[in-house]
Amino acid sequence: MDITLASHRGEIPSTVQVVRKPTMRDVADVAGVSLKTVSRVVNMEPGVDDHTAARVEGAIARLAYRRNEVARNLRKGISLALIGLVIEDLANPFYATVARTIEDVARRHGYAVVMASSGEDPEREREVTTGLLQRGVQGLLIVPAGSDHRYLYADRAMRTKAVFLDRPPALVEADSVVLDNIVGARRGVEHLIAHGHRRIAFVGDPPMVQTSVERAEGYRQALKGAGLPVDEALVRLGTPRVDLAEASTRQLLALQDPPTAIFAQNNRNSVGALRAIRALDARVAFVGFDDFELADMLPVPATVVGHDPAEMARAAAELLFGRLAGDQRPPQRIVIPTKLIARGSGEIVPPSPRGVDFSRRLRR
Amino acid sequence: MDITLASHRGEIPSTVQVVRKPTMRDVADVAGVSLKTVSRVVNMEPGVDDHTAARVEGAIARLAYRRNEVARNLRKGISLALIGLVIEDLANPFYATVARTIEDVARRHGYAVVMASSGEDPEREREVTTGLLQRGVQGLLIVPAGSDHRYLYADRAMRTKAVFLDRPPALVEADSVVLDNIVGARRGVEHLIAHGHRRIAFVGDPPMVQTSVERAEGYRQALKGAGLPVDEALVRLGTPRVDLAEASTRQLLALQDPPTAIFAQNNRNSVGALRAIRALDARVAFVGFDDFELADMLPVPATVVGHDPAEMARAAAELLFGRLAGDQRPPQRIVIPTKLIARGSGEIVPPSPRGVDFSRRLRR
DNA sequence: TTGAAAGCGGTACCAA
DNA sequence: TTGGTACCGCTTTCAA
């Protein structure tokens, strides 16, 4: 049932099976009508004889013809109206919310969103971003993994507007919407200090991740501000996955002189840390950056440094669409505030080695 | 600093500010070079005099020229390599996992994924799907909300391959990958019956949703199989959101003759039901369809009818790419099995009004 | 009712 | 090093 597509433009007809996708021209040839007639049938324009239309439809079916939307859009002057979203991991609830919100804003602006996961790998970030650019996205929302985004502007041909989300751009000037990481982390750790903790561990992502660095900085600021030493044995950077965070936390809790409180740097680390605490039935305080579903339903409800991922995503998306609409202001940097949500786990007081009962004191 | 773009093709130059996007032709005119030279500069082809290149780049900057990727792709014969994913709500962890897995498979096949949320609204499903088709996606993965998908095949011009996910297509023949809903729900309810429950409530989505109907059917089968009556007062269909599911469950628990066990139809309903149970401190058994993060960390770990969303997504995506590669088999229907995961909440026995201690009996 | 030809905005080949 | 011209696959205009 193979139909060999004739080569056009006066070439000698190929005897080799042509793998080229059938075009409207091919359909026209097979149906024995003109190109325009096929176009009419395909687009359901009125004024085509039923009999003719049937012949054309037969040809379409036989060739399994599909209209080339690229050519169509070019001719109609239609832009693809696509924006790209480069994200670390869609399955992370934080990013899922971000993605959903962006999709929402985009749809209201008549745009669709192409997603690409970087998997926290700079190489792959670059790869997928390039892929998005080749597909002609009008703008880009990026949660960067890389440490050099000059490649975005290397090609003068595609001066794509980009807004960076959650983390700032590296080595380029661009819009960004980020969380107030240092202050948020500092407040979270200060909260633990206020409840009597002196040995507070930090469980976080690798130091290549900017948010990790900033939150660790907030952690250090809090300790220093209270005149407490920073024990590097209690700082674990490099646990981007739940299972690794759990392992890290287990190690921390097994130390000779274990921490009495844990600060986890994001929702993934939080879940891991909480699993370790639960598994070891350890009586340690806990505060995590990022809120997460069911945090309030745990046996000891989790105290978190909360924020609104949707607000962040909305701000970034609106910024991008502003740029697409011609906004010429210098690069903006929007900082989204955080808010400590005390639920119980952060209010656990440390055991008192010197017989001082902090818990009684704090309960008033 | 506005530069009026001359109208070409012999038209009288417009005095009105032209809003048309600048083309390579415009850049060439401004720079005083040929079209081809601009193309060389834009694509960084070697062999352009530095001085000439500088002039071209100046013109590009002044006009804020951007290469038209649609035209480029047409000429280069490049397909957009896009597939569309129509999903209910990206923020639902179940769909987030699905989306992420699909993105993964697509990337391995060299494709990118355009996402669109239907928000469980048939009208919007149709709208966003049409949008995806206009953007030239090669294939479609759909978690359908609508009850009539003939619109997908109304236009002979775009015979897009579609694979339906989680729910079957309506009124059209197409591939689908679904969960074993009836059996899964039946097993979950049977599990509750085996632990002595006779009044089991069902908390589920509206009956327009196919999965809801099937899971309710499994629920009924289980009851009937055990010779138990189906009390329609205990069946709540229509709670697609966490807060609504919580309200529904509160009502159920406030009944004169309340249920001793709750079966929730998906992860959203589960979270809502568990919130209600927790808030009322009710001692009822619970089993939910869909596993969810932290289910095992709750005060009473949640028993669920689990399954692998990633497996489902992978199967659907591979099916689609098979079709894109020319797979001509008749429409497939793949059913993904479920598995009961007992964690505690489903093993709670009902209070025994007649003094029969089920708990002792069941504990052996 | 049907068709011929121009052109959407680029790229490719070949000539200058 | 630079430019002319055909052409990617479709829609549009106008004529037959």
Side-chain angles (χ1 to χ4, degrees):
Chain A
M1 192 21 143
D2 283 343
I3 295 172
T4 303
L5 304 176
S7 296
H8 308 298
R9 332 251 173 224
E11 287 170 30
I12 298 162
S14 167
T15 51
V16 181
Q17 179 66 34
V18 177
V19 288
R20 176 171 59 80
K21 286 201 202 126
T23 70
M24 227 172 228
R25 176 78 258 150
D26 298 318
V27 176
D29 289 350
V30 169
V33 298
S34 82
L35 179 63
K36 177 63 208 179
T37 299
V38 177
S39 175
R40 287 200 179 90
V41 173
V42 160
N43 295 301
M44 306 210 252
E45 285 172 31
V48 179
D49 185 85
D50 283 355
H51 203 261
T52 313
R55 273 223 315 290
V56 171
E57 291 188 5
I60 287 174
R62 285 230 298 293
L63 293 173
Y65 166 76
R66 290 199 45 205
R67 178 171 66 197
N68 182 329
E69 297 294 326
V70 174
R72 171 172 226 252
N73 287 334
L74 171 60
R75 180 59 238 237
K76 298 203 98 168
I78 293 173
S79 131
L80 253 17
L82 289 176
I83 62 168
L85 171 61
V86 181
I87 220 166
E88 189 225 317
D89 176 12
L90 254 184
N92 180 329
F94 171 69
Y95 292 120
T97 302
V98 167
R100 179 247 160 84
T101 306
I102 287 171
E103 202 269 324
D104 225 60
V105 176
R107 194 168 39 78
R108 278 202 292 274
H109 285 264
Y111 279 71
V113 182
V114 194
M115 310 253 174
S117 296
S118 70
E120 209 67 282
D121 173 359
E123 188 63 42
R124 194 163 129 195
E125 172 198 308
R126 197 182 160 139
E127 225 174 86
V128 298
T129 306
T130 308
L132 294 180
L133 292 175
Q134 281 171 355
R135 289 181 173 86
V137 296
Q138 263 82 55
L140 228 34
L141 286 162
I142 309 182
V143 177
S147 52
D148 183 352
H149 299 102
R150 284 175 299 184
Y151 69 90
L152 277 174
Y153 303 99
D155 192 340
R156 269 157 265 53
M158 28 177 149
R159 351 179 69 238
T160 306
K161 315 284 185 192
V163 175
F164 288 76
L165 203 61
D166 192 38
R167 307 165 189 169
L171 307 182
V172 301
E173 292 277 307
D175 294 318
S176 63
V177 181
V178 295
L179 294 173
D180 197 355
N181 289 309
I182 296 181
V183 171
R186 197 182 68 213
R187 295 254 173 81
V189 176
E190 281 170 354
H191 185 76
L192 290 167
I193 293 171
H195 284 80
H197 294 276
R198 298 179 55 85
R199 288 185 62 69
I200 303 170
F202 181 91
V203 179
D205 279 1
M208 303 112 67
V209 182
Q210 178 68 15
T211 45
S212 183
V213 174
E214 288 183 8
R215 292 173 195 175
E217 170 61 21
Y219 161 84
R220 290 197 165 83
Q221 281 185 10
L223 292 181
K224 281 177 190 149
L228 295 174
V230 176
D231 181 350
E232 292 299 336
L234 298 185
V235 179
R236 300 283 166 136
L237 295 172
T239 51
R241 280 167 21 207
V242 170
D243 54 341
L244 297 178
E246 180 175 351
S248 270
T249 307
R250 278 173 181 272
Q251 286 166 18
L252 285 166
L253 294 176
L255 288 176
Q256 277 280 341
D257 188 9
T260 64
I262 307 254
F263 183 80
Q265 181 238 283
N266 64 18
N267 74 71
R268 299 296 80 200
N269 287 301
S270 290
V271 171
L274 289 169
R275 285 192 182 286
I277 293 170
R278 168 73 165 269
L280 299 176
D281 198 22
R283 190 178 167 281
V284 290
F286 171 87
V287 172
F289 205 110
D290 292 346
D291 203 356
F292 53 94
E293 182 160 53
L294 298 181
D296 60 323
M297 294 276 283
L298 298 177
V300 182
T303 294
V304 300
V305 178
H307 51 84
D308 189 349
E311 183 190 349
M312 188 173 93
R314 205 173 298 115
E318 294 293 5
L319 198 47
L320 177 61
F321 285 110
R323 295 298 186 188
L324 291 182
D327 175 0
Q328 295 288 337
R329 290 175 301 168
Q332 305 288 303
R333 181 187 163 88
I334 298 176
V335 178
I336 305 289
T338 62
K339 185 180 155 194
L340 192 102
I341 304 170
R343 294 203 181 101
S345 72
E347 293 72 50
I348 293 173
V349 297
S352 47
R354 294 176 215 152
V356 184
D357 189 354
F358 276 103
S359 65
R360 181 167 303 164
R361 224 200 255 168
L362 282 160
R363 276 183 210 137
R364 283 173 216 174
Chain B
M1 196 18 147
D2 283 343
I3 295 173
T4 303
L5 303 176
S7 296
H8 307 299
R9 334 249 172 225
E11 287 172 29
I12 298 160
S14 168
T15 50
V16 180
Q17 179 66 31
V18 177
V19 289
R20 175 171 60 81
K21 286 201 201 124
T23 71
M24 227 172 227
R25 176 78 257 152
D26 298 317
V27 176
D29 290 349
V30 170
V33 296
S34 81
L35 178 64
K36 179 63 208 178
T37 298
V38 178
S39 174
R40 287 200 179 90
V41 173
V42 161
N43 296 300
M44 306 210 253
E45 285 172 32
V48 179
D49 185 84
D50 284 353
H51 203 261
T52 312
R55 274 224 315 290
V56 171
E57 291 187 6
I60 287 175
R62 286 230 298 292
L63 294 173
Y65 167 77
R66 290 198 47 205
R67 178 171 65 197
N68 181 329
E69 298 293 328
V70 175
R72 172 172 227 251
N73 287 335
L74 171 61
R75 178 60 238 231
K76 298 204 99 168
I78 294 174
S79 133
L80 253 18
L82 289 176
I83 62 168
L85 172 61
V86 181
I87 219 165
E88 188 225 315
D89 175 13
L90 255 183
N92 180 328
F94 171 68
Y95 292 121
T97 302
V98 165
R100 178 246 160 83
T101 306
I102 287 171
E103 202 269 324
D104 224 60
V105 175
R107 194 168 40 77
R108 278 202 293 276
H109 284 264
Y111 279 71
V113 182
V114 194
M115 309 253 175
S117 295
S118 70
E120 209 67 282
D121 173 359
E123 189 62 41
R124 194 164 129 196
E125 173 199 306
R126 197 182 160 140
E127 224 174 271
V128 297
T129 305
T130 308
L132 294 180
L133 292 175
Q134 280 171 356
R135 289 181 173 87
V137 297
Q138 263 81 56
L140 228 36
L141 287 163
I142 309 181
V143 177
S147 52
D148 184 350
H149 298 102
R150 283 175 300 185
Y151 69 89
L152 278 175
Y153 303 99
D155 193 340
R156 268 157 262 56
M158 26 176 153
R159 350 178 71 239
T160 307
K161 314 285 184 189
V163 174
F164 288 75
L165 205 60
D166 192 38
R167 306 165 190 170
L171 306 183
V172 300
E173 292 277 306
D175 293 318
S176 64
V177 180
V178 296
L179 293 173
D180 196 355
N181 289 310
I182 296 182
V183 172
R186 199 182 67 213
R187 294 254 173 81
V189 176
E190 281 170 354
H191 185 76
L192 290 167
I193 294 170
H195 284 80
H197 294 276
R198 297 178 55 84
R199 287 186 61 72
I200 303 169
F202 181 91
V203 179
D205 279 0
M208 304 113 66
V209 181
Q210 180 67 17
T211 45
S212 184
V213 174
E214 289 184 7
R215 290 172 196 176
E217 170 61 21
Y219 162 84
R220 290 196 164 85
Q221 281 187 9
L223 293 181
K224 281 177 190 151
L228 295 173
V230 176
D231 182 350
E232 292 299 336
L234 298 185
V235 179
R236 301 283 166 135
L237 295 173
T239 50
R241 281 168 20 209
V242 169
D243 55 341
L244 296 180
E246 179 175 351
S248 269
T249 307
R250 278 175 182 270
Q251 287 167 16
L252 285 166
L253 294 176
L255 287 176
Q256 278 280 343
D257 187 9
T260 63
I262 307 253
F263 183 80
Q265 182 238 286
N266 64 18
N267 74 69
R268 298 296 80 198
N269 287 300
S270 290
V271 171
L274 288 169
R275 284 194 182 284
I277 293 171
R278 168 74 164 267
L280 299 176
D281 197 24
R283 190 179 165 283
V284 289
F286 171 86
V287 172
F289 205 109
D290 292 346
D291 203 355
F292 54 94
E293 183 161 53
L294 298 179
D296 60 324
M297 295 274 286
L298 298 177
V300 182
T303 293
V304 299
V305 177
H307 52 83
D308 188 349
E311 183 191 348
M312 188 172 93
R314 205 173 298 116
E318 294 294 5
L319 198 46
L320 178 60
F321 286 110
R323 294 297 185 189
L324 292 182
D327 175 0
Q328 295 289 337
R329 291 175 300 167
Q332 304 288 302
R333 181 188 163 87
I334 298 176
V335 178
I336 305 289
T338 62
K339 186 178 152 194
L340 192 103
I341 304 172
R343 294 203 181 102
S345 72
E347 293 73 48
I348 292 173
V349 297
S352 46
R354 292 175 215 153
V356 184
D357 188 354
F358 277 102
S359 64
R360 180 169 300 165
R361 225 201 253 168
L362 282 159
R363 278 184 208 134
R364 280 172 218 177

